[in-house]
């Protein structure tokens, strides 16, 4: 039973790492230099794989956007944007957040700003 549970978790993590298709927000063909977009933070999140692990108000695999907004402030935008790009672990539990190197720093900041706006 335990092995079945772990197999399911690993499968979910593999699936969640795939990026949704959206030609408006795709990086350039030169993946070493992702292109910043004019999309909003909300649009960028919706076009990515973020929702596979995060939810607006309830914790799923990762913390909810509301939990993140309550823990962090605008002074943490740079740090959180780096975590989106580089990945991270240990802050919210044992499941690591996968890196998203295709996301530009500018777009990652927009995503963080949208997440932090969920504070209420």
């Amino acid at each position: 039973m335990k092995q079945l549970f772990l197999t399911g978790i690993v499968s979910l993590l593999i699936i969640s790492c795939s990026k949704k298709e959206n030609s408006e927000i795709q990086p350039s063909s030169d993946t070493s230099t992702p292109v910043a977009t004019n999309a909003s933070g909300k649009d960028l999140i919706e076009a990515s794989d973020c929702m596979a692990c995060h939810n607006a108000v309830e914790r799923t695999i990762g913390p909810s956007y509301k939990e993140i907004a309550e823990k962090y402030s605008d002074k943490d935008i740079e740090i959180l944007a780096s975590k989106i790009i580089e990945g991270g672990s240990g802050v919210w539990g044992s499941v690591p957040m996968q890196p998203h190197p295709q996301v530009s720093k500018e777009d990652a900041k927009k995503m963080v700003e949208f997440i932090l706006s969920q504070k209420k």
Side-chain angles (χ1 to χ4, degrees):
M1 182 73 157
K2 192 174 188 178
Q3 184 177 8
L4 181 61
F5 174 75
L6 290 175
T7 302
I9 293 292
V10 169
S11 297
L12 183 59
L13 288 173
I14 291 169
I15 291 168
S16 71
C17 292
S18 65
K19 190 170 184 333
K20 291 182 184 176
E21 294 294 322
N22 186 327
S23 59
E24 181 180 334
I25 303 177
Q26 293 293 321
S28 67
S29 59
D30 174 11
T31 57
S32 63
T33 317
V35 176
T37 66
N38 291 325
S40 71
K42 181 180 180 184
D43 291 339
L44 292 165
I45 287 171
E46 289 175 352
S48 73
D49 65 347
C50 299
M51 300 301 281
C53 296
H54 300 280
N55 182 297
V57 293
E58 293 182 22
R59 179 183 290 255
T60 55
I61 294 171
S64 70
Y65 298 140
K66 183 178 178 192
E67 287 177 293
I68 296 167
E70 289 173 356
K71 182 174 180 121
Y72 295 99
S73 69
D74 288 346
K75 67 181 173 128
D76 301 308
I77 291 173
E78 283 285 334
I79 292 166
L80 295 174
S82 292
K83 284 193 178 229
I84 290 172
I85 297 167
E86 299 166 13
S89 65
V91 176
W92 297 97
S94 61
V95 178
M97 185 170 92
Q98 298 300 312
H100 298 84
Q102 74 280 7
V103 177
S104 71
K105 187 73 160 196
E106 181 181 326
D107 284 351
K109 287 180 184 181
K110 289 179 188 178
M111 296 164 89
V112 170
E113 289 167 356
F114 171 75
I115 292 167
L116 295 180
S117 76
Q118 304 307 296
K119 186 182 296 191
K120 291 187 177 161

